[in-house]
Coordinates of all heavy atoms in Angstrom, one line a residue:
M1 N 0.9 -1.2 0.0 CA 0.0 0.0 0.0 C 0.9 1.3 0.0 O 1.9 1.3 0.7 CB -0.9 0.0 1.3 CG -1.6 1.3 1.5 SD -2.6 1.3 2.9 CE -3.6 2.7 2.5
E2 N 0.6 2.2 -0.8 CA 1.3 3.4 -0.9 C 0.6 4.5 -0.1 O -0.6 4.7 -0.2 CB 1.4 3.9 -2.4 CG 2.4 5.1 -2.5 CD 2.7 5.3 -3.9 OE1 2.7 4.4 -4.7 OE2 3.1 6.5 -4.3
I3 N 1.4 5.2 0.8 CA 0.8 6.2 1.7 C 1.3 7.5 1.1 O 2.6 7.7 0.8 CB 1.3 6.1 3.1 CG1 0.7 4.8 3.6 CG2 0.9 7.3 4.0 CD1 1.2 4.4 5.0
N4 N 0.5 8.5 0.9 CA 0.8 9.8 0.5 C 1.7 10.5 1.6 O 1.3 10.6 2.7 CB -0.5 10.6 0.2 CG -0.3 12.0 -0.3 OD1 0.9 12.6 -0.1 ND2 -1.2 12.5 -1.0
P5 N 2.8 10.9 1.2 CA 3.7 11.7 2.2 C 3.0 12.8 2.9 O 3.4 13.2 4.0 CB 4.9 12.1 1.3 CG 5.0 11.2 0.2 CD 3.4 10.8 -0.2
A6 N 2.1 13.4 2.2 CA 1.3 14.5 2.9 C 0.5 14.1 4.1 O 0.2 14.9 4.9 CB 0.4 15.2 1.8
H7 N 0.2 12.8 4.2 CA -0.4 12.3 5.4 C 0.5 11.9 6.6 O 0.0 11.5 7.6 CB -1.3 11.1 5.0 CG -2.4 11.4 4.1 ND1 -2.7 10.6 3.0 CD2 -3.3 12.5 4.1 CE1 -3.6 11.3 2.3 NE2 -4.0 12.2 2.9
L8 N 1.8 12.1 6.3 CA 2.8 11.7 7.3 C 2.9 12.7 8.4 O 3.0 13.9 8.1 CB 4.1 11.5 6.6 CG 5.2 10.8 7.4 CD1 4.9 9.4 7.9 CD2 6.5 10.8 6.6
G9 N 2.8 12.3 9.6 CA 3.1 13.2 10.8 C 4.2 12.6 11.7 O 5.0 11.8 11.2
T10 N 4.3 13.1 12.9 CA 5.2 12.5 13.8 C 4.6 12.2 15.1 O 3.6 12.8 15.5 CB 6.4 13.5 14.1 OG1 5.9 14.8 14.5 CG2 7.2 13.8 12.8
L11 N 5.2 11.2 15.8 CA 4.7 10.8 17.1 C 5.9 10.9 18.0 O 7.0 10.4 17.7 CB 4.2 9.3 17.0 CG 3.7 8.7 18.3 CD1 2.4 9.3 18.8 CD2 3.4 7.2 18.0
E12 N 5.7 11.5 19.2 CA 6.7 11.7 20.2 C 6.6 10.5 21.2 O 5.5 10.3 21.8 CB 6.6 13.0 20.9 CG 7.8 13.4 21.7 CD 7.7 12.9 23.2 OE1 6.5 12.9 23.7 OE2 8.7 12.7 23.7
L13 N 7.6 9.8 21.3 CA 7.7 8.7 22.3 C 8.9 8.9 23.2 O 10.1 8.6 22.9 CB 7.8 7.4 21.5 CG 6.7 7.0 20.6 CD1 7.1 5.9 19.7 CD2 5.4 6.7 21.3
D14 N 8.7 9.3 24.4 CA 9.7 9.5 25.4 C 11.0 10.2 24.9 O 12.0 9.8 25.0 CB 10.1 8.1 25.9 CG 11.0 8.1 27.2 OD1 10.8 9.1 28.0 OD2 11.8 7.3 27.4
G15 N 10.7 11.4 24.2 CA 11.8 12.2 23.6 C 12.2 11.7 22.3 O 13.2 12.4 21.8
I16 N 11.7 10.7 21.7 CA 12.0 10.3 20.3 C 10.9 10.7 19.4 O 9.7 10.4 19.7 CB 12.2 8.7 20.3 CG1 13.2 8.2 21.3 CG2 12.6 8.2 18.9 CD1 13.2 6.8 21.6
W17 N 11.2 11.2 18.3 CA 10.2 11.5 17.2 C 10.3 10.4 16.2 O 11.4 10.0 15.6 CB 10.5 12.9 16.6 CG 10.3 13.9 17.7 CD1 11.2 14.5 18.5 CD2 9.0 14.6 18.0 NE1 10.7 15.4 19.3 CE2 9.3 15.5 19.1 CE3 7.7 14.4 17.6 CZ2 8.3 16.3 19.7 CZ3 6.8 15.2 18.2 CH2 7.1 16.1 19.2
V18 N 9.1 9.9 15.9 CA 8.9 8.7 14.9 C 7.9 9.1 13.9 O 6.8 9.7 14.1 CB 8.4 7.5 15.6 CG1 8.3 6.3 14.7 CG2 9.4 7.2 16.8
P19 N 8.1 8.9 12.5 CA 7.1 9.0 11.5 C 5.9 8.3 11.9 O 5.9 7.2 12.4 CB 7.8 8.4 10.3 CG 9.2 8.5 10.5 CD 9.4 8.2 12.0
Y20 N 4.8 8.9 11.6 CA 3.4 8.4 12.1 C 2.3 8.7 11.1 O 2.3 9.8 10.5 CB 3.1 9.1 13.5 CG 1.7 9.0 13.9 CD1 1.2 8.0 14.6 CD2 0.8 10.1 13.6 CE1 0.0 7.8 15.1 CE2 -0.5 10.0 14.0 CZ -0.9 8.9 14.8 OH -2.2 8.8 15.2
V21 N 1.4 7.8 11.0 CA 0.3 7.9 10.1 C -1.0 7.4 10.8 O -0.9 6.3 11.4 CB 0.4 7.1 8.8 CG1 -0.8 7.3 7.9 CG2 1.7 7.7 8.0
D22 N -2.0 8.1 10.9 CA -3.3 7.7 11.4 C -4.1 7.1 10.3 O -4.5 7.8 9.4 CB -4.0 8.9 12.1 CG -5.3 8.4 12.9 OD1 -5.7 7.2 12.7 OD2 -5.8 9.2 13.6
M23 N -4.4 5.8 10.3 CA -5.1 5.1 9.3 C -6.5 4.7 9.9 O -6.9 3.5 9.7 CB -4.4 3.9 8.8 CG -3.1 4.4 8.0 SD -2.2 3.0 7.2 CE -3.3 2.8 5.8
F24 N -7.2 5.6 10.5 CA -8.4 5.3 11.2 C -9.4 4.7 10.2 O -10.3 4.0 10.6 CB -9.0 6.6 11.8 CG -9.3 7.7 10.9 CD1 -10.5 7.8 10.2 CD2 -8.3 8.6 10.5 CE1 -10.8 8.8 9.4 CE2 -8.6 9.6 9.7 CZ -9.8 9.7 9.1
D25 N -9.3 5.0 8.9 CA -10.3 4.6 8.0 C -10.0 3.5 7.1 O -10.7 3.0 6.2 CB -10.8 5.8 7.0 CG -9.5 6.4 6.2 OD1 -8.4 6.0 6.6 OD2 -9.8 7.1 5.3
A26 N -8.8 2.8 7.4 CA -8.3 1.7 6.6 C -9.2 0.5 7.0 O -9.5 0.3 8.2 CB -6.8 1.4 6.9
E27 N -9.4 -0.4 6.0 CA -10.2 -1.6 6.2 C -9.4 -2.6 7.0 O -9.9 -3.4 7.7 CB -10.7 -2.1 4.9 CG -11.8 -1.2 4.2 CD -12.3 -1.8 2.9 OE1 -12.3 -3.0 2.7 OE2 -12.7 -1.0 2.1
F28 N -8.1 -2.7 6.7 CA -7.3 -3.6 7.4 C -5.8 -3.1 7.3 O -5.5 -2.1 6.6 CB -7.3 -5.0 6.7 CG -6.9 -5.0 5.2 CD1 -5.6 -5.3 4.8 CD2 -7.8 -4.7 4.2 CE1 -5.3 -5.3 3.5 CE2 -7.6 -4.7 2.9 CZ -6.2 -5.0 2.6
V29 N -5.0 -3.8 8.1 CA -3.6 -3.3 8.2 C -2.8 -4.0 7.1 O -2.9 -5.3 7.0 CB -3.0 -3.5 9.6 CG1 -1.5 -3.2 9.7 CG2 -3.8 -2.7 10.5
H30 N -2.0 -3.4 6.4 CA -1.2 -4.1 5.3 C 0.2 -4.5 5.8 O 0.7 -4.0 6.8 CB -0.9 -3.0 4.2 CG -2.2 -2.6 3.5 ND1 -2.7 -3.2 2.4 CD2 -3.1 -1.5 3.8 CE1 -3.8 -2.6 2.1 NE2 -4.1 -1.6 2.9
R31 N 0.7 -5.6 5.2 CA 2.0 -6.1 5.6 C 3.1 -5.2 5.2 O 4.1 -5.1 5.9 CB 2.2 -7.5 5.0 CG 1.1 -8.5 5.4 CD 1.1 -9.0 6.8 NE 2.3 -9.7 7.2 CZ 2.7 -9.9 8.4 NH1 2.0 -9.4 9.4 NH2 3.7 -10.6 8.7
R32 N 3.0 -4.5 4.1 CA 4.0 -3.6 3.6 C 3.4 -2.3 3.2 O 2.3 -2.3 2.6 CB 4.8 -4.2 2.3 CG 5.4 -5.6 2.8 CD 6.3 -6.1 1.7 NE 7.7 -5.7 1.7 CZ 8.5 -5.8 2.8 NH1 8.1 -6.2 3.9 NH2 9.8 -5.6 2.7
V33 N 4.0 -1.2 3.5 CA 3.6 0.1 3.1 C 4.8 0.8 2.5 O 5.9 0.6 2.8 CB 3.0 0.9 4.2 CG1 1.7 0.3 4.8 CG2 4.0 1.2 5.3
T34 N 4.5 1.8 1.5 CA 5.5 2.6 0.9 C 5.1 4.1 1.2 O 4.0 4.5 1.0 CB 5.5 2.3 -0.6 OG1 5.8 0.9 -0.8 CG2 6.6 3.1 -1.3
I35 N 6.2 4.9 1.5 CA 6.0 6.3 1.6 C 7.2 6.9 0.9 O 8.4 6.8 1.3 CB 6.1 6.7 3.1 CG1 5.0 6.0 3.9 CG2 5.9 8.3 3.2 CD1 5.1 6.4 5.4
G36 N 6.8 7.5 -0.2 CA 7.9 8.1 -1.1 C 8.8 6.9 -1.6 O 8.3 5.9 -1.9
P37 N 10.1 7.1 -1.4 CA 11.0 6.1 -1.8 C 11.2 4.9 -0.8 O 11.9 4.0 -1.1 CB 12.3 6.8 -2.1 CG 12.3 7.9 -1.1 CD 10.8 8.3 -1.0
D38 N 10.7 5.1 0.4 CA 10.9 4.1 1.4 C 9.9 3.1 1.6 O 8.6 3.4 1.6 CB 11.0 4.9 2.8 CG 12.2 5.7 2.9 OD1 13.3 5.4 2.3 OD2 12.0 6.9 3.4
E39 N 10.2 1.8 1.7 CA 9.3 0.7 1.9 C 9.5 0.2 3.3 O 10.6 0.0 3.8 CB 9.6 -0.4 0.9 CG 8.6 -1.5 1.0 CD 8.8 -2.6 -0.1 OE1 9.5 -2.4 -1.0 OE2 8.1 -3.7 0.1
Y40 N 8.4 -0.1 4.0 CA 8.4 -0.6 5.4 C 7.6 -1.9 5.4 O 6.6 -2.0 4.7 CB 7.7 0.4 6.3 CG 8.3 1.8 6.3 CD1 8.1 2.8 5.4 CD2 9.2 2.1 7.4 CE1 8.8 4.0 5.4 CE2 9.8 3.4 7.5 CZ 9.6 4.2 6.6 OH 10.2 5.5 6.6
G41 N 8.1 -2.8 6.3 CA 7.4 -4.0 6.5 C 6.9 -4.0 7.9 O 7.5 -3.5 8.9
F42 N 5.7 -4.8 8.2 CA 5.1 -4.9 9.4 C 6.1 -5.6 10.4 O 6.7 -6.6 10.0 CB 3.8 -5.7 9.4 CG 3.2 -6.0 10.7 CD1 2.5 -4.9 11.4 CD2 3.3 -7.2 11.3 CE1 1.9 -5.3 12.6 CE2 2.7 -7.5 12.5 CZ 2.1 -6.5 13.1
E43 N 6.2 -5.1 11.6 CA 7.1 -5.7 12.6 C 6.4 -6.2 13.8 O 6.6 -7.3 14.3 CB 8.2 -4.6 13.0 CG 9.5 -5.2 13.7 CD 9.4 -5.3 15.2 OE1 8.5 -4.8 15.8 OE2 10.3 -5.9 15.7
S44 N 5.4 -5.4 14.4 CA 4.7 -5.8 15.6 C 3.6 -4.8 15.8 O 3.5 -3.8 15.2 CB 5.6 -5.9 16.8 OG 6.1 -4.6 17.1
S45 N 2.6 -5.1 16.8 CA 1.5 -4.2 17.1 C 1.4 -4.3 18.6 O 1.7 -5.3 19.3 CB 0.3 -4.5 16.4 OG -0.4 -5.6 16.9
M46 N 0.7 -3.2 19.1 CA 0.5 -3.2 20.5 C -0.7 -2.2 20.8 O -1.0 -1.3 20.0 CB 1.6 -2.7 21.4 CG 2.2 -1.3 21.1 SD 3.8 -1.0 21.8 CE 4.7 -2.2 20.7
I47 N -1.5 -2.4 21.9 CA -2.5 -1.5 22.2 C -1.9 -0.2 22.6 O -0.8 -0.1 23.1 CB -3.5 -2.1 23.2 CG1 -2.7 -2.3 24.6 CG2 -4.3 -3.3 22.8 CD1 -3.6 -2.7 25.7
I48 N -2.6 0.9 22.3 CA -2.1 2.2 22.6 C -1.9 2.4 24.1 O -0.9 3.0 24.5 CB -3.0 3.3 21.9 CG1 -2.8 3.2 20.4 CG2 -2.5 4.7 22.4 CD1 -3.8 4.1 19.6
R49 N -3.0 2.0 24.8 CA -2.9 2.2 26.3 C -1.7 1.3 26.8 O -1.7 0.1 26.6 CB -4.2 1.8 26.9 CG -4.3 2.0 28.3 CD -5.7 1.7 28.9 NE -5.7 2.3 30.1 CZ -6.8 3.0 30.6 NH1 -7.8 3.2 29.8 NH2 -6.9 3.5 31.8
G50 N -0.7 1.9 27.4 CA 0.4 1.2 28.0 C 1.5 1.0 27.0 O 2.6 0.4 27.4
H51 N 1.5 1.6 25.9 CA 2.6 1.4 24.9 C 3.9 2.1 25.4 O 5.0 1.6 25.0 CB 2.2 2.1 23.6 CG 2.3 3.6 23.6 ND1 1.2 4.3 24.0 CD2 3.3 4.5 23.3 CE1 1.6 5.6 24.0 NE2 2.8 5.7 23.5
G52 N 3.8 3.0 26.2 CA 5.0 3.7 26.8 C 6.0 2.8 27.5 O 7.2 3.1 27.6
A53 N 5.5 1.7 27.9 CA 6.4 0.7 28.6 C 7.3 0.0 27.7 O 8.4 -0.6 28.1 CB 5.6 -0.2 29.5
V54 N 6.9 -0.2 26.5 CA 7.6 -1.1 25.5 C 8.1 -0.2 24.2 O 9.3 -0.4 23.8 CB 6.7 -2.2 25.1 CG1 7.4 -3.1 24.1 CG2 6.3 -3.0 26.3
L55 N 7.2 0.6 23.6 CA 7.5 1.1 22.4 C 8.8 2.0 22.2 O 9.6 1.8 21.3 CB 6.3 1.8 21.8 CG 6.3 2.2 20.3 CD1 6.6 1.0 19.4 CD2 5.0 2.9 19.9
P56 N 9.0 2.9 23.2 CA 10.2 3.7 23.0 C 11.5 2.9 23.1 O 12.4 3.2 22.2 CB 10.2 4.6 24.3 CG 8.7 4.7 24.6 CD 8.2 3.4 24.3
G57 N 11.6 1.9 23.8 CA 12.8 1.0 23.9 C 12.9 0.3 22.6 O 14.1 0.1 22.0
R58 N 11.8 -0.2 22.0 CA 11.8 -0.9 20.7 C 12.4 0.0 19.6 O 13.1 -0.5 18.8 CB 10.5 -1.6 20.5 CG 10.4 -2.5 19.3 CD 11.2 -3.8 19.5 NE 11.3 -4.5 18.3 CZ 12.4 -4.9 17.8 NH1 13.5 -4.7 18.5 NH2 12.4 -5.6 16.7
I59 N 11.9 1.2 19.6 CA 12.2 2.2 18.6 C 13.8 2.4 18.7 O 14.5 2.4 17.7 CB 11.5 3.5 18.8 CG1 10.0 3.3 18.5 CG2 12.2 4.5 17.8 CD1 9.6 2.9 17.1
R60 N 14.2 2.6 19.9 CA 15.7 2.8 20.1 C 16.6 1.6 19.6 O 17.6 1.7 18.9 CB 16.1 3.1 21.6 CG 15.7 4.4 22.0 CD 16.1 4.7 23.4 NE 15.7 6.0 23.9 CZ 14.6 6.2 24.6 NH1 13.7 5.3 24.9 NH2 14.3 7.5 24.9
T61 N 16.1 0.4 19.9 CA 16.8 -0.8 19.4 C 16.8 -0.9 17.9 O 17.8 -1.2 17.3 CB 16.1 -2.1 20.0 OG1 16.2 -2.0 21.4 CG2 16.7 -3.4 19.5
L62 N 15.6 -0.6 17.3 CA 15.6 -0.7 15.8 C 16.5 0.3 15.2 O 17.2 0.0 14.2 CB 14.1 -0.6 15.3 CG 13.2 -1.7 15.7 CD1 11.8 -1.2 15.4 CD2 13.5 -2.9 14.8
R63 N 16.5 1.5 15.7 CA 17.4 2.5 15.1 C 18.9 2.1 15.4 O 19.7 2.4 14.5 CB 17.1 3.9 15.8 CG 15.8 4.5 15.2 CD 15.6 5.8 15.7 NE 14.4 6.4 15.1 CZ 13.9 7.5 15.4 NH1 14.4 8.3 16.5 NH2 12.8 8.0 14.8
G64 N 19.2 1.6 16.5 CA 20.5 1.1 16.8 C 21.0 0.0 15.8 O 22.1 -0.2 15.5
E65 N 20.0 -0.8 15.2 CA 20.3 -1.7 14.2 C 20.4 -1.2 12.8 O 20.5 -1.9 11.9 CB 19.2 -2.8 14.2 CG 19.2 -3.6 15.5 CD 18.0 -4.6 15.7 OE1 17.1 -4.5 14.8 OE2 17.9 -5.3 16.6
G66 N 20.2 0.2 12.7 CA 20.2 0.8 11.4 C 19.0 0.8 10.6 O 18.9 1.1 9.5
K67 N 17.9 0.4 11.3 CA 16.5 0.3 10.7 C 15.8 1.6 10.9 O 16.0 2.4 11.8 CB 15.8 -0.9 11.2 CG 16.4 -2.1 10.8 CD 15.7 -3.3 11.4 CE 16.4 -4.6 11.1 NZ 15.7 -5.7 11.7
K68 N 14.8 2.0 10.0 CA 14.0 3.2 10.1 C 12.6 2.7 10.6 O 11.9 2.2 9.7 CB 14.0 3.9 8.8 CG 15.2 4.5 8.4 CD 15.4 5.2 7.1 CE 14.1 5.4 6.3 NZ 14.3 6.1 5.1
P69 N 12.2 3.0 11.8 CA 10.9 2.6 12.2 C 9.8 3.7 11.9 O 10.1 4.9 11.7 CB 11.0 2.4 13.7 CG 12.1 3.3 14.1 CD 13.1 3.4 12.9
M70 N 8.6 3.3 11.8 CA 7.4 4.2 11.6 C 6.3 3.6 12.3 O 6.2 2.3 12.4 CB 7.2 4.5 10.2 CG 6.7 3.4 9.4 SD 5.3 3.7 8.3 CE 4.4 5.0 8.7
V71 N 5.3 4.4 12.7 CA 4.1 3.9 13.4 C 2.8 4.3 12.7 O 2.7 5.4 12.2 CB 4.0 4.4 14.9 CG1 2.8 4.1 15.6 CG2 5.3 4.0 15.6
I72 N 1.9 3.3 12.6 CA 0.6 3.5 12.0 C -0.4 3.2 13.2 O -0.3 2.2 13.8 CB 0.3 2.6 10.8 CG1 1.3 2.9 9.6 CG2 -1.1 2.6 10.4 CD1 1.1 2.0 8.4
E73 N -1.3 4.1 13.3 CA -2.4 3.9 14.3 C -3.6 3.5 13.6 O -4.0 4.1 12.6 CB -2.6 5.3 15.0 CG -3.7 5.2 16.1 CD -3.9 6.5 16.9 OE1 -3.1 7.3 16.8 OE2 -5.0 6.5 17.5
R74 N -4.3 2.5 14.2 CA -5.6 2.1 13.7 C -6.3 1.4 14.8 O -5.7 0.4 15.4 CB -5.5 1.2 12.5 CG -6.8 0.8 11.9 CD -6.6 -0.1 10.6 NE -7.8 -0.6 10.2 CZ -8.3 -1.8 10.7 NH1 -7.8 -2.5 11.6 NH2 -9.6 -2.2 10.3
D75 N -7.6 1.7 15.0 CA -8.5 1.0 15.9 C -7.9 0.7 17.3 O -7.9 -0.4 17.8 CB -8.9 -0.4 15.3 CG -9.9 -0.3 14.2 OD1 -10.6 0.7 14.1 OD2 -10.0 -1.2 13.4
G76 N -7.3 1.8 17.9 CA -6.7 1.6 19.3 C -5.4 0.9 19.4 O -5.1 0.5 20.5
R77 N -4.8 0.7 18.3 CA -3.5 0.0 18.3 C -2.4 0.8 17.5 O -2.7 1.5 16.6 CB -3.6 -1.4 17.7 CG -4.5 -2.4 18.4 CD -4.4 -3.8 17.8 NE -3.2 -4.5 18.2 CZ -2.9 -5.0 19.4 NH1 -3.9 -5.1 20.3 NH2 -1.8 -5.6 19.7
Y78 N -1.2 0.6 17.9 CA 0.0 1.1 17.2 C 0.6 -0.1 16.5 O 0.8 -1.1 17.1 CB 1.0 1.7 18.1 CG 0.7 3.1 18.6 CD1 1.1 3.5 19.9 CD2 -0.1 4.0 17.8 CE1 0.9 4.8 20.3 CE2 -0.3 5.3 18.3 CZ 0.2 5.7 19.6 OH -0.1 6.9 20.1
Y79 N 0.7 0.1 15.2 CA 1.4 -0.9 14.3 C 2.8 -0.4 14.0 O 2.9 0.7 13.4 CB 0.6 -1.2 13.1 CG -0.7 -1.8 13.5 CD1 -1.9 -1.0 13.7 CD2 -0.9 -3.2 13.4 CE1 -3.1 -1.6 14.1 CE2 -2.1 -3.7 13.7 CZ -3.2 -2.9 14.0 OH -4.4 -3.5 14.4
L80 N 3.8 -1.1 14.4 CA 5.2 -0.7 14.2 C 5.7 -1.3 12.8 O 5.5 -2.6 12.6 CB 6.1 -1.2 15.3 CG 7.5 -0.8 15.2 CD1 7.7 0.6 15.1 CD2 8.2 -1.4 16.5
Y81 N 6.2 -0.5 12.0 CA 6.8 -0.9 10.7 C 8.2 -0.6 10.7 O 8.6 0.4 11.3 CB 6.1 -0.3 9.5 CG 4.7 -0.8 9.3 CD1 3.6 -0.5 10.0 CD2 4.4 -1.6 8.2 CE1 2.3 -1.0 9.8 CE2 3.2 -2.1 7.9 CZ 2.1 -1.8 8.8 OH 0.9 -2.3 8.5
V82 N 9.0 -1.3 9.9 CA 10.5 -0.9 9.8 C 10.9 -1.0 8.4 O 10.4 -1.8 7.6 CB 11.4 -1.8 10.7 CG1 11.1 -1.6 12.1 CG2 11.2 -3.3 10.4
S83 N 11.9 -0.1 8.0 CA 12.5 -0.2 6.7 C 13.8 -0.9 7.0 O 14.4 -0.7 8.0 CB 12.7 1.2 6.3 OG 13.2 1.2 4.9
P84 N 14.2 -1.7 6.1 CA 15.5 -2.5 6.3 C 16.7 -1.6 6.4 O 16.6 -0.4 6.0 CB 15.6 -3.4 5.1 CG 14.7 -2.8 4.0 CD 13.6 -2.0 4.7
P85 N 17.7 -2.1 7.0 CA 18.9 -1.2 7.2 C 19.6 -1.1 5.8 O 19.3 -1.8 4.9 CB 19.8 -2.1 8.1 CG 19.3 -3.5 8.0 CD 17.9 -3.3 7.7
P86 N 20.4 0.1 5.7 CA 21.0 0.3 4.4 C 22.0 -0.9 4.0 O 22.5 -1.5 4.9 CB 21.8 1.5 4.6 CG 21.3 2.1 5.9 CD 20.6 1.0 6.7
A87 N 22.0 -1.1 2.8 CA 22.9 -2.2 2.3 C 24.4 -1.8 2.6 O 24.8 -0.7 2.5 CB 22.8 -2.4 0.8
A88 N 25.2 -2.9 3.0 CA 26.6 -2.6 3.4 C 27.5 -2.6 2.2 O 27.2 -3.1 1.2 CB 27.0 -3.6 4.4

């Protein structure tokens, strides 16, 4: 699924800013999404309530691995997607 970059926002998670899209009207969550030249694959999901205990640490870990995370919100859940690390 291709997401219009104009719909891209940011989500602040414990001092970390992450690309974010609210897909409140999506019929289902896609396994892969594209925003401009970047392709992201589904990594995990969690309910929004209580996400602060897990999501910021997961974002830091992914970035430490050289991956680019992004979050999609839908139906009371955050869906975490990642873009693969740059080729070595």
